[in-house]
């Protein structure tokens, strides 16, 4: 046991070398001796580490890892060990607020909810329910999301529901649907315990999923270390451990991946039996990647031909392979096209559905998998297909509403379009939950203007008066993790339960209770006149979700609160066929691409145009994976004489998203108190910039200023972490938010914004 380990200085902890079975190590941090412990799981990245919350005299006083949990075997990272301090922060919201005479003032719950409901009913009568939009999170619980999904899709009947998962992991879902028919990760974290090779594409695991990276570090220190191929333009902690590190220019992921695919085919490192029997599209893939020779890849991307060949040799000769993908792909040019090419690497090798083989299209948030599963975003519950009438009928029977009540006459509205509708005035009420778009959205100047419009009623549901909440008309104080009960699912499909450990402060309420209150005040009814929402407690909501998921890929029907409280988290599908969960999807290499079962009929990777049901059925993959090819496209904004450098954004190890919680944990904030501008030494010398000098970065959309950090990045590229907004700054300080600079542009398929490239200029400043 590691008592109160200093995870700030020692991020990943001591090594426990192994092969095949990851040893236990319990990380603990307490500020006082707890009088009891309450089961939970960490919500400060997508890893989903099992933990217990230490409680004394009704207050949180610490956390410890759960040794029995399959995800982390007792380990916790710095965010997990410190982030809980935010619950005890003195600036928690404790009462509803309503804007009166330009100021947010305290109000009662009846006043706040009464105003929200009255405005909702007025807008529905005057403009239909399409005048109401929801922008939710990747940080609530299943019970919250499913309740929200039902009240939005079957109560209001609005198509305008999405979440900040659109900024984070929409591409993960899109790539999985395209290749395999439905969402859902094919493998497990445990595949890292035995795999021979790991491919990390745009994924700085060392900083973003610290406990998952600990798993790899322990393998590297063990008797049979895996070989690592890392694709990232920065020399991150992850890249430092790579066997081969490929550092491409911004926006060139598809070119690099096509070059790797060409080498696999050229070198004969493909499983032709698997391709013949279990895939479609191989011939077109061969044709598309054929022109991407190592020399052509080097000329376009800057990746040396020899390094590309070395990476292809690892990927082509390993007997098992885990491939992971995150924001360096999802938030860049051709996001879905690139993510699909990573799927293609494993498919060409036939390395899927068995021990040591996984494709982890990673999530960035702790519960973003549930946003996608439960229908609180632009998807339908249970990975159902909005364009399949039989799937709509299933939901209509389940909820006892007419099928026409459920929006399915067009694709669900994605978040970027929701904000555009707010901008143009067709959405007149925007309800934002547990997210801070005034820091996290692209082109922040535009976002502020949208929220400040007089014709838009802005409702913010949060635990703190964030930069976004300060612009709201109604603020609803919400309970945080540890102050409510619910379940959630991590990237590798492991479902955890988090029990209520302490009471929320003041009048703050659980998100679940707020949604129930709204549904009842709106008097949503089913076709028989009974209440639409038929559950009162989180456990009853979970049982309803189980019924909705039954028979679908994300089948929860074999789970229960009691089972989830008995020890470790459990993977879905968990049902009669898999009573203890399933480590791998597709072990028989039968994929979810059947026309009557798939979640999507597919897209054109260039235009985003959706494949019609008729076209898909005429070429039904019928259980085969799809090898969809994509050629390289030039990023739509390029450096020029006025803005000569590339710009990209990312994260640091000590903070999560917009620092709403981690910035209120003293040790985490002290470890990373300020944004920075990372430059190559060559660029710093050219502009006369030294370490820690203040640097102003400007794009066509805005400016941001922060101290310089020199080294560890390719020349011509400027990096800033996106966590830092106006909170904690002096009122007259220059803007430091990276998203002042980013583009209002998105991937044609996943609709995920492009945060990873823009054209900028820099200058040293004294501001």
């Amino acid at each position: 046991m590691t008592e109160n380990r200093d995870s700030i200085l020692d991020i990943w902890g001591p090594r426990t070398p192994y092969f095949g079975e990851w040893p236990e190590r319990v990380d603990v941090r307490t500020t006082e001796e707890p009088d009891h412990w309450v089961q939970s799981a960490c919500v400060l990245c997508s890893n989903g580490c099992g933990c217990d919350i230490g409680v004394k005299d009704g207050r949180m006083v610490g956390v410890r890892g759960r040794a029995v949990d399959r995800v982390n075997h007792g380990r916790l990272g710095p965010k997990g060990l410190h982030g809980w301090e935010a619950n005890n922060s003195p600036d928690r919201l404790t009462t509803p607020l309503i804007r009166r005479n330009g100021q947010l003032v305290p109000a009662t719950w009846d006043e706040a909810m009464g105003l929200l409901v009255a405005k909702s009913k007025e807008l529905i009568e005057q403009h239909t329910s399409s005048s109401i939009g929801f922008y939710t999170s990747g940080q609530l619980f299943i019970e919250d999301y499913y309740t929200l999904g039902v009240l939005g899709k079957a109560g209001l009947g609005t198509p305008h529901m999405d979440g900040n998962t659109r900024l984070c992991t929409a591409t993960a879902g899109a790539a999985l649907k395209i290749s395999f028919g439905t969402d859902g990760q094919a493998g497990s974290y445990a595949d890292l315990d035995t795999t021979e090779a790991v491919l990390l594409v745009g994924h700085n695991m060392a900083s973003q999923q610290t406990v998952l990276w600990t798993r790899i570090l322990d393998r590297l220190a063990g008797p049979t270390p895996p070989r690592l191929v890392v694709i990232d333009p920065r020399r991150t902690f992850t890249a430092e451990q790579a066997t081969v590190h490929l550092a491409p220019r911004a926006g060139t992921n598809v070119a690099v991946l096509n070059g790797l695919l060409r080498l696999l085919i050229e070198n004969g490192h493909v499983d032709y039996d698997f391709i013949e029997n279990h895939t479609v599209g191989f011939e077109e893939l061969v044709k598309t990647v054929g022109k991407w020779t190592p020399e052509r890849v080097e000329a376009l991307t800057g990746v040396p031909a020899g390094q590309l060949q070395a990476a292809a040799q690892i990927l082509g000769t390993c007997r098992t392979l885990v491939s992971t993908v995150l924001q360096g792909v999802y938030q860049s040019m051709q996001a879905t096209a690139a993510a699909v090419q990573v799927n293609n690497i494993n498919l060409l090798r036939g390395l899927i559905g068995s021990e040591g083989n996984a494709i982890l299209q990673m999530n960035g948030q702790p519960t973003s998998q549930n946003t996608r599963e439960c229908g609180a975003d632009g998807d339908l519950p249970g990975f159902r297909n909005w364009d399949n009438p039989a799937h709509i009928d299933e939901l209509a029977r389940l909820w006892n509403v007419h099928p026409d009540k459920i929006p399915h006459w067009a694709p669900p509205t994605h978040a970027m379009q929701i904000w555009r509708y707010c901008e143009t005035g067709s959405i007149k009420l925007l309800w934002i939950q547990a997210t801070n778009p005034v820091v996290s959205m692209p082109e922040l100047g535009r976002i502020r203007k949208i929220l400040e419009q007089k014709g838009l009623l802005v409702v913010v549901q949060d635990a703190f008066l964030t930069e976004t909440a300060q612009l709201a008309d109604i603020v609803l104080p919400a309970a945080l993790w540890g102050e409510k009960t619910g379940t959630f699912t991590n990237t590798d499909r492991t479902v955890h339960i988090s029990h209520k450990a302490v009471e929320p402060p003041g009048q703050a309420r659980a998100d679940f209770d707020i949604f129930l209150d709204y549904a009842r005040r709106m008097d949503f009814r089913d076709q028989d006149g009974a209440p639409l929402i038929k559950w009162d407690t989180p456990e009853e909501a979970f049982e309803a979700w189980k019924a909705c998921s039954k028979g679908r890929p994300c089948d929860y029907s074999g789970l229960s609160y009691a089972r989830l409280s008995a020890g470790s988290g459990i993977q879905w599908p968990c049902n009669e066929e898999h009573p203890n969960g399933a480590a791998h999807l597709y072990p028989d290499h039968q994929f979810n691409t059947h026309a009557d079962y798939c979640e999507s009929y597919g897209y054109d990777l260039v235009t985003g145009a959706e494949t019609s049901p008729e076209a898909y059925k005429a070429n039904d993959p019928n259980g085969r994976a799809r090898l969809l090819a994509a050629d390289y496209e030039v990023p739509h904004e390029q450096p020029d004489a006025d803005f000569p450098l590339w710009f990209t954004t990312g994260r640091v190890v000590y903070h999560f998203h917009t620092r709403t919680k981690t910035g209120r944990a003293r040790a985490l904030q002290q470890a990373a108190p300020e944004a920075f501008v990372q430059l190559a030494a060559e660029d710093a010398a050219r502009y006369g910039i030294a370490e820690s000098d203040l640097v102003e970065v400007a794009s066509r959309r805005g400016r941001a200023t922060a101290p310089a950090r020199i080294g560890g990045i390719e020349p011509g590229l400027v990096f800033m972490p996106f966590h830092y907004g106006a909170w904690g700054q002096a009122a007259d300080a220059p803007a430091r938010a990276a998203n002042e600079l980013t583009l209002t542009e998105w991937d044609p398929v996943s609709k995920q914004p492009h945060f990873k490239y823009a054209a900028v200029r820099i200058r040293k400043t004294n501001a």
Side-chain angles (χ1 to χ4, degrees):
M1 178 175 288
T2 306
E3 290 283 355
N4 291 336
R5 175 173 68 83
D6 186 351
S7 62
I8 302 300
L9 296 177
D10 183 15
I11 296 170
W12 305 288
R15 298 281 59 75
T16 50
Y18 77 104
F19 173 77
E21 185 70 29
W22 198 22
E24 293 179 0
R25 185 191 86 198
V26 178
D27 291 342
V28 183
R29 179 174 175 271
T30 58
T31 54
E32 299 180 55
E33 183 64 30
D35 52 42
H36 67 282
W37 295 90
V38 178
Q39 182 180 351
S40 186
C42 183
V43 291
L44 286 169
C45 82
S46 62
N47 207 52
C49 297
C51 68
D52 295 322
I53 300 170
V55 180
K56 181 175 183 179
D57 299 329
R59 294 181 302 108
M60 284 189 187
V61 295
V63 292
R64 70 181 180 193
R66 290 179 66 83
V68 70
D69 197 85
R70 65 171 305 276
V71 170
N72 59 317
H73 294 228
R75 292 159 182 79
L76 293 173
K79 292 189 285 288
L81 287 167
H82 291 269
W84 59 269
E85 291 180 2
N87 286 64
N88 298 332
S89 181
D91 64 339
R92 288 286 301 276
L93 288 170
T94 59
T95 185
L97 305 173
I98 293 177
R99 190 170 296 279
R100 294 192 173 106
N101 300 319
Q103 301 294 318
L104 286 171
V105 297
T108 66
W109 273 102
D110 273 346
E111 289 173 325
M113 294 302 292
L115 176 58
L116 172 57
V117 168
K119 187 65 175 179
S120 298
K121 291 180 176 179
E122 175 188 319
L123 289 174
I124 292 168
E125 182 177 347
Q126 295 179 358
H127 304 283
T128 79
S129 62
S130 291
S131 61
I132 299 174
F134 292 83
Y135 185 62
T136 191
S137 177
Q139 298 169 65
L140 304 182
F141 289 160
I142 286 173
E143 296 78 3
D144 308 327
Y145 290 132
Y146 188 54
T147 302
L148 176 61
V150 176
L151 74 83
K153 288 178 166 64
L156 290 169
T158 177
H160 307 319
M161 301 187 73
D162 205 357
N164 64 9
T165 50
R166 186 64 57 182
L167 318 181
C168 179
T169 57
T171 301
L176 293 167
K177 294 175 197 176
I178 286 170
S179 296
F180 308 120
T182 66
D183 200 343
Q185 311 293 342
S188 295
Y189 292 160
D191 290 314
L192 291 169
D193 298 345
T194 57
T195 193
E196 289 189 359
V198 183
L199 170 64
L200 299 109
V201 189
H203 182 196
N204 182 14
M205 187 191 290
S207 292
Q208 310 323 321
Q209 289 88 21
T210 53
V211 172
L212 197 59
W213 182 242
T214 297
R215 201 168 197 144
I216 290 182
L217 289 179
D218 286 356
R219 276 293 316 279
L220 292 174
T224 56
R227 292 173 291 172
L228 268 59
V229 176
V230 175
I231 303 179
D232 195 309
R234 300 169 59 223
R235 187 167 175 78
T236 61
F237 294 133
T238 308
E240 288 175 357
Q241 298 295 324
T243 312
V244 178
H245 172 210
L246 309 181
R249 295 188 182 107
T252 62
N253 289 328
V254 166
V256 173
L257 293 164
N258 279 351
L260 290 171
L261 289 164
R262 181 188 187 277
L263 286 168
L264 290 179
I265 296 167
E266 182 180 80
N267 295 334
H269 293 150
V270 296
D271 185 337
Y272 284 103
D273 286 340
F274 179 89
I275 292 168
E276 175 69 22
N277 295 314
H278 301 294
T279 71
V280 295
F282 179 64
E283 292 78 10
E284 185 63 30
L285 182 67
V286 171
K287 178 181 176 182
T288 300
V289 305
K291 59 188 170 185
W292 288 100
T293 64
E295 293 73 24
R296 187 178 186 209
V297 171
E298 179 173 352
L300 179 73
T301 73
V303 171
Q307 289 187 15
L308 188 78
Q309 290 165 333
Q313 183 68 14
I314 292 173
L315 301 176
T317 59
C318 58
R319 290 173 296 180
T320 50
L321 173 64
V322 174
S323 298
T324 77
V325 188
L326 198 54
Q327 309 300 13
V329 169
Y330 300 161
Q331 295 178 342
S332 193
M333 184 68 185
Q334 295 183 272
T336 305
V340 166
Q341 302 321 303
V342 178
N343 294 344
N344 288 344
I345 289 173
N346 278 69
L347 288 170
L348 286 187
R349 298 288 328 280
L351 300 180
I352 189 169
S354 56
E355 182 182 343
N357 294 312
I359 301 169
L360 297 173
Q361 296 281 352
M362 294 294 295
N363 298 331
Q365 293 192 75
T367 69
S368 55
Q369 191 67 43
N370 303 125
T371 319
R372 306 203 304 258
E373 292 170 3
C374 297
D377 67 348
D379 294 312
L380 289 180
F383 298 159
R384 289 175 172 87
N385 189 337
W386 72 270
D387 213 9
N388 185 332
H391 288 192
I392 300 298
D393 288 343
E394 284 179 12
L395 287 177
R397 288 193 299 271
L398 190 72
W399 296 337
N400 193 22
V401 297
H402 193 280
D404 288 346
K405 183 68 174 180
I406 302 170
H408 64 285
W409 48 86
T413 315
H414 62 88
M416 299 302 290
Q417 188 63 53
I418 287 174
W419 284 90
R420 177 60 176 157
Y421 286 154
C422 292
E423 188 173 41
T424 58
S426 60
I427 290 181
K428 302 178 184 300
L429 189 162
L430 181 64
W431 189 347
I432 301 168
Q433 302 117 22
T435 185
N436 189 14
V438 172
V439 179
S440 60
M441 286 288 288
E443 196 177 347
L444 293 180
R446 172 176 175 257
I447 298 303
R448 288 189 293 269
K449 288 179 182 177
I450 292 172
L451 293 177
E452 289 168 349
Q453 291 179 132
K454 291 184 178 179
L456 179 68
L457 184 80
V458 178
V459 182
V460 172
Q461 186 170 310
D462 211 317
F464 298 96
L465 195 64
T466 63
E467 292 93 334
T468 303
Q470 291 174 33
L471 300 180
D473 300 294
I474 302 173
V475 179
L476 305 176
L480 282 174
W481 164 87
E483 299 167 356
K484 57 183 184 178
T485 294
T487 54
F488 61 96
T489 310
N490 74 350
T491 299
D492 86 336
R493 299 174 285 105
T494 301
V495 186
H496 285 105
I497 191 165
S498 180
H499 287 286
K500 182 176 180 179
V502 298
E503 292 294 328
Q507 298 177 44
R509 291 182 179 177
D511 300 280
F512 176 78
D513 293 329
I514 296 171
F515 294 146
L516 280 186
D517 189 15
Y518 179 76
R520 286 165 182 162
R521 289 173 185 260
M522 290 293 293
D523 197 28
F524 293 136
R525 300 277 170 172
D526 67 14
Q527 290 188 114
D528 297 327
L532 175 68
I533 308 293
K534 296 175 172 57
W535 47 88
D536 298 306
T537 67
E539 187 167 10
E540 291 171 352
F542 186 76
E543 291 298 313
W545 164 242
K546 285 167 54 179
C548 182
S549 71
K550 187 174 177 61
R552 295 301 298 164
C554 52
D555 194 332
Y556 284 66
S557 59
L559 294 173
S560 66
Y561 270 29
R563 288 198 67 190
L564 292 171
S565 302
S568 173
I570 301 170
Q571 290 175 287
W572 65 249
C574 183
N575 49 24
E576 292 180 0
E577 183 181 357
H578 303 286
N580 297 312
H584 297 92
L585 306 183
Y586 319 123
D588 56 359
H589 298 153
Q590 289 296 303
F591 300 94
N592 294 335
T593 55
H594 301 84
D596 61 350
Y597 192 75
C598 66
E599 187 178 0
S600 167
Y601 295 127
Y603 306 84
D604 183 290
L605 290 180
V606 176
T607 67
E610 300 199 41
T611 304
S612 70
E614 294 76 18
Y616 189 89
K617 291 172 184 176
N619 297 279
D620 191 344
N622 199 30
R624 295 170 183 254
R626 302 176 70 215
L627 293 165
L628 201 61
D631 210 347
Y632 166 75
E633 289 191 6
V634 177
H636 299 157
E637 181 169 274
Q638 296 272 326
D640 57 19
D642 293 327
F643 298 93
L645 300 170
W646 285 110
F647 178 73
T648 191
T649 70
R651 310 182 186 203
V652 298
V653 69
Y654 299 110
H655 284 305
F656 184 65
H657 283 208
T658 63
R659 297 184 307 131
T660 305
K661 289 190 279 191
T662 56
R664 290 173 167 86
R666 185 176 62 177
L668 296 174
Q669 179 61 14
Q670 288 177 343
E674 182 57 272
F676 59 86
V677 176
Q678 187 175 6
L679 305 169
E682 298 92 323
D683 294 328
R686 180 158 35 121
Y687 288 91
I689 295 169
E691 185 78 19
S692 300
D693 283 348
L694 280 180
V695 178
E696 180 190 82
V697 187
S699 76
R700 292 178 175 85
R701 292 155 294 279
R703 290 175 166 78
T705 301
R709 182 175 296 179
I710 298 173
I713 192 170
E714 290 295 294
L717 182 63
V718 178
F719 170 87
M720 288 186 72
F722 86 99
H723 309 287
Y724 301 87
W727 173 61
Q729 267 194 311
D732 59 349
R736 61 178 176 179
N739 282 323
E740 301 286 352
L741 313 171
T742 46
L743 295 160
T744 298
E745 182 175 296
W746 52 86
D747 182 72
V749 178
S750 69
K751 311 302 190 287
Q752 186 158 348
H754 293 168
F755 292 101
K756 294 299 185 185
Y757 72 87
V760 298
R761 59 177 176 240
I762 61 172
R763 70 180 182 93
K764 181 179 174 179
T765 178
N766 296 320

